[in-house]
Each structure stands twice: as C-alpha cells, then as structure tokens.
Amino acid sequence: MSCTAEKKQTLTITNPLAVERAEVLSIPYTDFKQIYNRSEAFRLIDEKNKEYTYQLEKGEGDSTQNVLVWVELPANGTITLQVQPGKPKPMEARTFARYVPERFDDFAWENDKIAFRMYGKALEGRPDNAEGADIWAKRTDKLVVNEWYKKGDYHKDHGEGMDFYDVGMTLGAGDIAPYADGKIIFSKHYREYDVLENGPLRSMFRLKYEPWEVNGKKVSVTKTISLDAGAQLNRVTAVYTVEGADADRLPVVAGIVLRKGEGGQAMKLTDAKVAAYWEPAHGADGTLGIAVLGESPIDSITENNGHLLAHFTATSGKPVIYYNGGAWDKAGKITNAKQWEEYLRNEQEKQEHPLAISIK
C-alpha cells in the first residue's frame, strides 16, 4: 500500500486579450480527466473558494465530450481551479430549446440575452408563412419562451421584451440557403429535429430538411445550432449533401433582410469576417442589430435580393460554420450601431484568441 499523497492538479485558465471576458469555456473531457477521472460528482473551486458552475456536454456524441464552465476573467487575467469531489451547487438554467407543436411546428430557443425560432412544416401554405430565422427581443435574463407561447401575446412588450421582427419570405436574422443565378433558393421548412443539449449553459439542437432542387442539383441540409449563456450569437453548422455535378462547389449565403426607412446601417466588415446590420428604428419598439460572423471563410459580402449576404462555398458532406444573432437597444447593453460593431469585432477576436487552458 502506497503512502504517497495524491498530487492535486489544477486547471489554469488565461485570457490572452486586453478585454474583459465572460463566456462559456469548453474543456475537452479527455483533458479534464487528467485532473478528475472518477465517476462521482465534483465541484470546481478557485483560490478564493468561489464555486464555478458547469455542464457536462455530450453534444453529438454518446458520452461526455466537453466540460462547459462559466468563467469571468479580467483583461489579460488568469484564474486557477481545483476539482473537488462533491455535489455542485444548484444552477438555474440560462439556455433552453424546444419543439413547439402548439404553434405550427415552430422550434424555439433562447438564453439570458435573446431568443430565436425557426419555422416547421405546419406553417407551410398558410397566409402567415415565413422562411428564415426569427429573433425575439428580450430585456430580461429570465427564460421566457414557454411563458410567451402560453400567453400568446408576445407581439406586445409587457416589460420582458417582444417579437416585432418581420421575417416574411426572407432569410430573416441570418439563416442560410443556396444561392444560384443571383437568387436565394429557399428550402421547405425543417422536417425533423433532435435536441442534443438543453442547458444550463448551452443548448444545442439539430434540424433536418428534405431534398430540393438547386440549379439542377438535388440538395439537402442539416443544421446544428447551439446557443451559450451570455451570448448574443448562435453557432450554426450547416452540412449540405449535394447530388449531381460539381458537388464540391455549392454557393450558399447566410443573409440578413434589409429594411426600408431611415437610420439603418449595413456594415460589411470584411477584415473581421462580419456582415452586420443596425436596423431602422421600429417605432416605439426600439431597434435591433443583426449579424452574421464567419468561422468558415466568407468569400464576399454583398447587398442583393433585399439582403446583406455573406457568401460561402459549401462542399457536399462538409460543414459551413458561422454565427448569427442580434441585440436589442432596449436591453440596454448595445444601444447603437457603433456599439454593435464593437461587440462583433470583440467576438471575432475572441474566436481567434480563445481562452488558454493549462493543467498542472
């Protein structure tokens, strides 16, 4: 029997940027097991005995793939965490996603900042049919999707926010579609869904679409969308399957519908891989900022078909990855086009300079 004391390993997280960061950190579970390779529950504690909340993420796998941790770091700051056996403190969910059969097969999701929905099969053919991504303006950190659907009065602001975004037959707030002969080639609405994660720090789901014709090719798509606590943007992974010639080159666009009226500002931030829009004011409802940020290379950003379009080239079976989302001025955090651009540039910089993880 060995009398050697077990060495306590620590997890050190460093912010390499000169800006404050509050975000969900994803630690690969294979790395995390170097610190804690036991089956029982655990707590994450820093040097000041502060406990950090976490989520074990399976995602698209059958077992835990990542440990998601909510962290807040100052500019160029560092925190050190130890793992201790024990039941973690309760955490209120900050993200949520669900299928909404009571509203024509909607799929809705949200976090503590913003909410979204995509449209399902039952909406097709109706006078109120719409195509792209819808966004709901929020000014509460509460999760409101269930309550708003139950009351059915979410087109009025009762102090928490509202849905005043008009999607129509457009890509709305950053949906993606093939692009051929200068036109957006819309699919029908999603046919299948699968909730992969549902909080408390990240919700993730998959939407599947049936094949349709695109410029002589048979095309289908699966979209996997995730939203983290504290984020204004979703991460979207679109995988197209293409049958026919030139399957390695399918032009696609992630687009933002442009509005009539004064005060709107479209921003083509090619250096930051961002297509952004600060809408004209919607009367007393306020103003929304909408954006598409590329993780996959953006070929170009143009204004066509009443949209601001981020152009990508999809290859059959391989993902196109980008971010979409928005911000509402009445939420009080981002209140004008300049602040929206600054937020997006910071997000792009964070992607290029992720938090550093060291195990000692």
Side-chain angles (χ1 to χ4, degrees), residues 335-352:
T335 60
N336 56 55
K338 183 179 179 181
Q339 290 177 352
W340 186 222
E341 177 180 344
E342 182 180 2
Y343 173 85
L344 295 167
R345 288 188 179 278
N346 284 340
E347 288 303 299
Q348 187 268 347
E349 191 172 15
K350 289 175 185 177
Q351 287 182 29
E352 294 188 353

Side-chain angles (χ1 to χ4, degrees), residues 29-321:
Y29 193 57
T30 52
D31 294 340
F32 185 81
K33 288 193 296 185
Q34 296 179 44
I35 306 173
Y36 194 78
N37 193 13
R38 304 177 187 178
S39 59
E40 61 262 37
F42 61 88
R43 301 167 67 225
L44 294 174
I45 308 295
D46 71 8
E47 56 269 31
K48 296 181 180 179
N49 208 36
K50 175 184 175 181
E51 184 169 353
Y52 285 65
T53 54
Y54 66 88
Q55 173 182 340
L56 300 180
E57 181 192 35
K58 290 184 179 180
E60 298 185 76
D62 296 326
S63 58
T64 300
Q65 304 296 308
N66 299 293
V67 179
L68 308 178
V69 186
W70 177 257
V71 294
E72 299 177 10
L73 287 94
N76 301 120
T78 296
I79 57 174
T80 299
L81 304 181
Q82 283 192 350
V83 186
Q84 299 178 359
K87 186 177 180 180
K89 67 179 181 181
M91 175 173 47
E92 188 173 353
R94 297 173 61 188
T95 69
F96 178 67
R98 80 169 175 99
Y99 168 57
V100 189
E102 66 269 31
R103 223 302 297 198
F104 307 114
D105 295 339
D106 284 357
F107 195 96
W109 68 103
E110 65 178 317
N111 66 1
D112 46 0
K113 299 293 184 183
I114 200 80
F116 304 89
R117 68 174 165 180
M118 298 286 277
Y119 301 113
K121 181 179 180 180
L123 196 66
E124 290 174 358
R126 289 179 50 84
D128 54 350
N129 191 20
E131 275 288 347
D134 192 18
I135 186 169
W136 287 4
K138 287 176 59 175
R139 53 177 168 180
T140 176
D141 59 4
K142 290 171 50 181
L143 300 180
V144 300
V145 160
N146 281 337
E147 181 182 347
W148 287 12
Y149 272 114
K150 183 178 181 179
K151 292 181 177 179
D153 191 26
Y154 47 80
H155 294 291
K156 295 180 181 179
D157 182 9
H158 299 285
E160 296 177 336
M162 63 186 297
D163 172 24
F164 65 87
Y165 191 76
D166 183 15
V167 179
M169 306 307 283
T170 75
L171 291 171
D175 199 9
I176 191 168
Y179 194 73
D181 298 326
K183 296 180 180 179
I184 301 167
I185 313 299
F186 291 102
S187 67
K188 293 183 178 179
H189 300 326
Y190 80 88
R191 292 299 190 256
E192 299 177 34
Y193 74 91
D194 187 14
V195 178
L196 304 172
E197 293 286 335
N198 215 352
L201 293 176
R202 174 177 294 167
S203 289
M204 178 189 297
F205 59 94
R206 183 191 297 122
L207 302 178
K208 292 184 178 180
Y209 296 73
E210 66 182 19
W212 74 107
E213 191 78 11
V214 178
N215 203 21
K217 304 173 185 177
K218 189 177 181 181
V219 172
S220 61
V221 66
T222 298
K223 301 172 186 176
T224 303
I225 300 172
S226 65
L227 180 63
D228 285 357
Q232 304 287 156
L233 305 175
N234 304 289
R235 187 175 190 263
V236 182
T237 301
V239 179
Y240 285 89
T241 301
V242 184
E243 299 179 16
D246 298 324
D248 287 343
R249 288 190 57 81
L250 177 71
V252 297
V253 288
I256 303 166
V257 62
L258 300 173
R259 309 296 190 187
K260 295 180 180 179
E262 297 182 358
Q265 184 176 342
M267 296 169 273
K268 304 173 186 177
L269 311 178
T270 53
D271 61 319
K273 301 184 292 186
V274 174
Y277 186 43
W278 190 255
E279 292 198 331
H282 196 267
D285 299 333
T287 305
L288 282 166
I290 311 294
V292 168
L293 192 160
E295 180 172 321
S296 295
I298 292 179
D299 299 331
S300 63
I301 300 173
T302 66
E303 291 185 38
N304 288 305
N305 305 112
H307 288 73
L308 183 65
L309 298 173
H311 294 255
F312 300 87
T313 300
T315 298
S316 185
K318 296 183 179 180
V320 173
I321 304 173

